[in-house]
């Protein structure tokens, strides 16, 4: 697949796998963002990360501050997904197998959704999805970085 630029010079699509995964990840990010906005509107808390800053219940897993909880869900996603996309794009540009990348991104998406929906938003904010999402995401990042290094091993003389 390619498109043309200028005088009809064909240019191949360079990141089809990474590009394909932008839609589900962005849609989920928008959901997380809107949950934060909903809490802000509901509690008329326009700035800050807690509904009642005088009463710090962020450490109470049974009754967490809803704004703080939704903010952490949003921020946890933003802390990991951009680097995952960068690593995936670098791997894809260096000839990674598209099936491997698709399976890896699908697994990452499931882990990130599980981390929030079955983890942070689960019973006591410490449900099963939280450690699976955390360690799975770390495994993805380490694995994708290692895979990318493997793809360019010739650069180092191996």
């Amino acid at each position: 697949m390619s498109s043309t630029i200028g005088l009809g010079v064909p240019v191949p699509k360079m990141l089809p796998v990474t590009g394909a995964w932008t839609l589900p990840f962005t849609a989920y990010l928008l959901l997380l963002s809107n949950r934060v906005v909903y809490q802000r509107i509901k509690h008329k808390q326009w700035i800050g990360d807690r509904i009642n800053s005088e009463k710090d219940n962020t450490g109470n897993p049974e009754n967490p501050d809803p704004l703080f909880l939704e903010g952490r869900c949003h921020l946890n996603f933003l802390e990991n997904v951009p680097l995952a996309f960068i690593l995936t794009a670098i791997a894809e540009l260096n000839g990674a197998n598209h099936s491997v990348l698709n399976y890896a991104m699908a697994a990452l998406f499931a882990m990130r959704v599980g981390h929030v929906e079955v983890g942070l938003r689960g019973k006591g904010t410490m449900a099963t999805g939280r450690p699976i999402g955390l360690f799975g995401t770390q495994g993805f990042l380490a694995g994708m970085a290692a895979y990318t290094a493997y793809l360019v091993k010739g650069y180092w003389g191996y």
Side-chain angles (χ1 to χ4, degrees), residues 55-115:
K55 179 183 156 196
D56 184 10
N57 60 343
T58 56
N60 181 358
E62 295 304 321
N63 185 26
D65 184 298
L67 177 58
F68 186 79
L69 177 65
E70 297 300 351
R72 284 311 313 160
C73 292
H74 182 247
L75 289 169
N76 285 347
F77 189 86
L78 288 174
E79 289 168 354
N80 293 285
V81 173
L83 179 58
F85 265 87
I86 291 167
L87 292 173
T88 303
I90 292 170
E92 191 169 7
L93 287 171
N94 283 288
N97 181 302
H98 285 184
S99 293
V100 169
L101 293 180
N102 271 312
Y103 285 122
M105 290 299 278
L108 177 66
F109 186 72
M111 288 181 285
R112 294 315 309 161
V113 170
H115 182 261

Side-chain angles (χ1 to χ4, degrees), residues 96-147:
N97 181 302
H98 285 184
S99 293
V100 169
L101 293 180
N102 271 312
Y103 285 122
M105 290 299 278
L108 177 66
F109 186 72
M111 288 181 285
R112 294 315 309 161
V113 170
H115 182 261
V116 170
E117 305 301 329
V118 190
L120 285 167
R121 299 183 90 221
K123 184 174 173 34
T125 68
M126 290 298 290
T128 309
R130 194 165 179 190
I132 292 171
L134 169 70
F135 294 118
T137 300
Q138 289 179 344
F140 173 93
L141 294 172
M144 192 60 68
Y147 182 44

